[in-house]
């Protein structure tokens, strides 16, 4: 197993993955030392960010998945963004996104209740944006950050709803039917 992890580490390094050392972060090998239950990760309401130095947005998300696809050593994060959310337009234009953990419930609640169309949420919260080597936005105050390269995206299609759960969810959901974004983890770090 250790040989496999070393090979993965070397492969990630060859892809240009390196530790984000500024702001007190240290690299995390997600396939080796990710210590959060994947079934509970999104109940902690992480913050999703997409865009670049010319413009970005961030929002609270409560849905997602962690796992692997298209090879047992290809870690992925799957997130869902409704089309009427301001972040959706950044996800559509971006090659990368970040998912960040905060324990400060004020950040989580504010990011979830306010739109970036109406003002600078980071400034209102006293957060400082920084950018990964790929130009992906994240906040210096985050406790953990995962950067992903978008591999696949597709809007949910009502005709494919197989039971009442999604039908009931979208019966009166004004933000529209979500788009799925699957991103390969290219870097991860935590404080």
């Amino acid at each position: 197993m250790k040989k496999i992890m070393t090979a993965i580490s070397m492969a990630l390094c060859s892809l240009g993955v390196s530790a984000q050392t500024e702001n007190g972060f240290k690299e995390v090998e997600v396939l080796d030392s990710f210590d959060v239950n994947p079934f509970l990760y999104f109940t902690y309401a992480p913050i999703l960010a997409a865009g670049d130095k010319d413009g970005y947005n961030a929002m609270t998300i409560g849905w997602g998945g962690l796992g692997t696809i298209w090879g047992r050593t290809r870690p992925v994060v799957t997130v869902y963004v409704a089309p009427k959310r301001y972040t959706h337009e950044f996800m559509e234009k971006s090659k990368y996104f970040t998912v960040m953990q905060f324990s400060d419930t004020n950040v989580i609640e504010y990011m979830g209740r306010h739109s970036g169309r109406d003002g600078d949420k980071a400034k209102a919260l006293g957060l400082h944006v920084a950018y990964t080597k790929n130009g992906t936005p994240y906040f210096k105050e985050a406790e953990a950050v995962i950067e992903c390269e978008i591999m696949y995206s597709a809007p949910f299609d009502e005709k494919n709803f197989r039971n009442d759960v999604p039908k009931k969810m979208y019966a009166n959901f004004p933000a529209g039917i979500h788009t799925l974004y699957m991103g390969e983890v290219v870097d991860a770090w935590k404080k």
Side-chain angles (χ1 to χ4, degrees), residues 20-28 41 44-49 56 58-59 97-105 107-108 111 122 125-132 136-147 187-191:
Q20 178 69 43
T21 56
E22 66 185 35
N23 307 312
F25 289 105
K26 294 190 181 199
E27 186 173 12
V28 175
Y41 183 79
Y44 301 123
I47 306 298
L48 168 72
Y56 76 93
M59 64 180 275
F97 65 87
T98 55
V99 176
M100 298 167 276
Q101 288 291 166
F102 286 85
S103 60
D104 184 343
T105 56
V107 171
I108 295 165
M111 286 283 181
L125 290 164
L127 299 177
H128 302 88
V129 68
Y131 298 89
T132 69
T136 315
Y138 72 95
F139 297 120
K140 294 178 182 180
E141 294 79 8
E143 294 165 16
V145 180
I146 300 173
E147 182 181 24
D187 208 350
W189 56 98
K190 67 180 181 178
K191 290 185 176 171

